[in-house]
Amino acid sequence: MIPTLTVISIAATAQGTEVYKNVPLSLVNNHVVRLGVMTEPFYWHYHPNSDETFLVTEGAIYIDLENQTVELAAGQLFTVPANVKHCTRPKGNRSVNLTFELADMQTVKC
């Protein structure tokens, strides 16, 4: 975790990463902000105790839900409610996004 009262450069933190990366950047009350560099799909899962919000900062991602696929481009935000099964994957070779979720979020693999 990056110490509080620190300026964080999202672009610099993500730069040069060509493999999957998920880094906690900051705690905000009982939530965590994570930087995700996605180069491959993440497995199907859900979170029984937390919503999960995605904000794409570079590239684009797909969020597969049971009945639809949501495409997010840079600058777009989408929230997956708790208990909703989903799978995230980059559109293309690489994407960068921020996720906002409970710090003690549970992940259940489907």
Side-chain angles (χ1 to χ4, degrees):
M1 188 76 60
I2 297 172
T4 58
L5 299 176
T6 301
V7 175
I8 301 167
S9 169
I10 304 303
T13 304
Q15 186 175 355
T17 300
E18 299 304 324
V19 297
Y20 181 84
K21 179 180 188 178
N22 191 331
V23 179
L25 297 178
S26 182
L27 280 175
V28 181
N29 299 313
N30 62 343
H31 286 71
V32 64
V33 178
R34 296 181 183 275
L35 171 76
V37 178
M38 202 175 308
T39 57
E40 58 191 45
F42 195 72
Y43 55 81
W44 278 92
H45 63 284
Y46 67 94
H47 310 288
N49 67 330
S50 180
D51 297 341
E52 184 175 25
T53 298
F54 296 87
L55 172 62
V56 177
T57 62
E58 179 187 323
I61 65 171
Y62 294 115
I63 301 175
D64 295 317
L65 306 171
E66 289 185 293
N67 297 320
Q68 68 175 334
T69 296
V70 176
E71 182 178 336
L72 295 180
Q76 292 183 311
L77 180 139
F78 182 78
T79 298
V80 178
N83 290 308
V84 172
K85 294 177 185 176
H86 59 285
C87 174
T88 54
R89 54 192 168 97
K91 179 180 181 183
N93 294 328
R94 181 179 187 271
S95 65
V96 179
N97 62 272
L98 297 177
T99 57
F100 307 85
E101 59 208 19
L102 278 176
D104 65 349
M105 180 177 74
Q106 300 166 1
T107 300
V108 177
K109 191 173 183 177
C110 298

